[in-house]
């Protein structure tokens, strides 16, 4: 999703995309291992996508300054 969102959100930082990717993958795998294949009938990747987008937005908005001027 970071690649596609980057087209529409030009100020999106690479660090935010990376953190979102890691958080989404870890949460999807965690849900898959702990709860099961499709908790509440929804694929764990959808939950991971939600976590990805939330983390990406938070890191991009309130993350540390990259030092660029």
């Amino acid at each position: 999703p970071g690649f596609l969102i980057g087209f529409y959100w030009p100020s999106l930082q690479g660090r935010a995309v990376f953190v979102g990717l890691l958080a989404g993958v870890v949460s999807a795998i965690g849900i898959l291992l702990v709860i099961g294949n499709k908790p509440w009938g929804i694929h764990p990747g959808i939950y991971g996508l939600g976590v990805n987008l939330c983390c990406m937005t938070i890191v991009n908005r309130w993350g540390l300054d990259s030092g660029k001027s």
Side-chain angles (χ1 to χ4, degrees):
F3 181 76
L4 294 176
I5 292 172
F7 285 125
Y8 301 103
W9 189 0
S11 65
L12 183 63
Q13 301 172 10
R15 177 180 56 245
V17 174
F18 182 70
V19 169
L21 175 79
L22 286 179
V25 168
V26 167
S27 64
I29 291 173
I31 290 170
L32 182 64
L33 293 175
V34 173
I35 297 176
N37 190 10
K38 286 191 176 181
W40 306 289
I42 301 171
H43 193 278
I46 301 299
Y47 295 111
L49 178 62
V51 171
N52 177 325
L53 294 173
C54 290
C55 289
M56 199 166 50
T57 301
I58 290 168
V59 170
N60 193 61
R61 178 163 254 204
W62 293 293
L64 296 174
D65 186 19
S66 63
K68 294 181 182 177
S69 300

